[in-house]
Amino acid sequence: MSVPVRGACRCERSRFRLTQEPIAFYLCHCTQCQAESGSAFGQSMYVRTDAIDEIEGPIAEHVIEDEDGRSAVLGYCKRCLTVLWAGRVEVEAVRGLNAGCLEGTAGLTPYGNMWTQSARPWVAFAPGPRFEASPDDPLAMIHAWQGRPRDPS
Ligand SMILES: [Zn+2]
Ligand SMILES: [Zn+2]
């Protein structure tokens, strides 16, 4: 993936630019990601918050309290309700970007899978490690992404 890359919501009124490579990109097969994405898994792309710039359009942020008592912030388009990014309120430096909003990243393959115990039986896993649930090491997916094999080019 060559940065910068542009992203937009479904209606394309809300836009942003990503200026740095992700710090992790994996698939999460948990039931929460399935519900939120409306798909079989969530594409978890973590980026530095300061790598998101040129933010424009009718974007608002909404804070929800999860069952574990921690608060999540969702950045969304007020017109079409696409969620552009999400993150922990207390971890301001990192955001999970909606990878489906990015343009021209078809060549970027996720590396790693978590919550395979709730994966749909027909799903094809991404390359890289597979964790039945959340890995004990919270940085496991970041390290996996950094150590992934690169195309020789
Ligand atoms: Zn929109
Ligand atoms: Zn998940």
Side-chain angles (χ1 to χ4, degrees):
M1 171 170 149
S2 60
V3 287
V5 59
R6 299 208 170 264
C9 64
R10 172 184 168 161
C11 79
E12 301 188 347
R13 302 289 208 288
S14 296
R15 310 191 136 267
F16 62 89
R17 189 177 73 148
L18 178 68
T19 61
Q20 296 169 33
E21 296 247 347
I23 55 180
F25 184 29
Y26 61 88
L27 302 185
C28 182
H29 304 269
C30 84
T31 54
Q32 215 175 3
C33 285
Q34 288 169 350
E36 190 175 276
S37 68
S39 181
F41 49 77
Q43 296 188 76
S44 296
M45 177 183 280
Y46 286 96
V47 303
R48 293 175 49 95
T49 305
D50 62 13
I52 306 172
D53 71 0
E54 297 187 6
I55 298 168
E56 55 184 54
I59 297 175
E61 289 201 322
H62 177 65
V63 175
I64 57 168
E65 193 172 301
D66 279 334
E67 281 178 14
D68 58 10
R70 297 191 299 175
S71 293
V73 58
L74 304 175
Y76 68 98
C77 172
K78 286 196 280 186
R79 186 169 181 273
C80 70
L81 303 182
T82 300
V83 173
L84 300 163
W85 57 76
R88 291 278 160 208
V89 169
E90 71 276 15
V91 189
E92 269 181 68
V94 177
R95 287 291 175 258
L97 210 53
N98 178 349
C101 289
L102 289 173
E103 298 165 357
T105 53
L108 189 69
T109 306
Y111 194 74
N113 305 266
M114 68 164 69
W115 287 99
T116 60
Q117 66 184 25
S118 51
R120 299 290 154 103
W122 46 264
V123 87
F125 290 115
R130 297 177 189 183
F131 296 95
E132 280 193 0
S134 258
D136 294 333
D137 175 3
L139 300 179
M141 287 308 198
I142 292 174
H143 293 149
W145 176 253
Q146 287 167 348
R148 75 193 186 281
R150 312 285 186 117
D151 291 335
S153 58

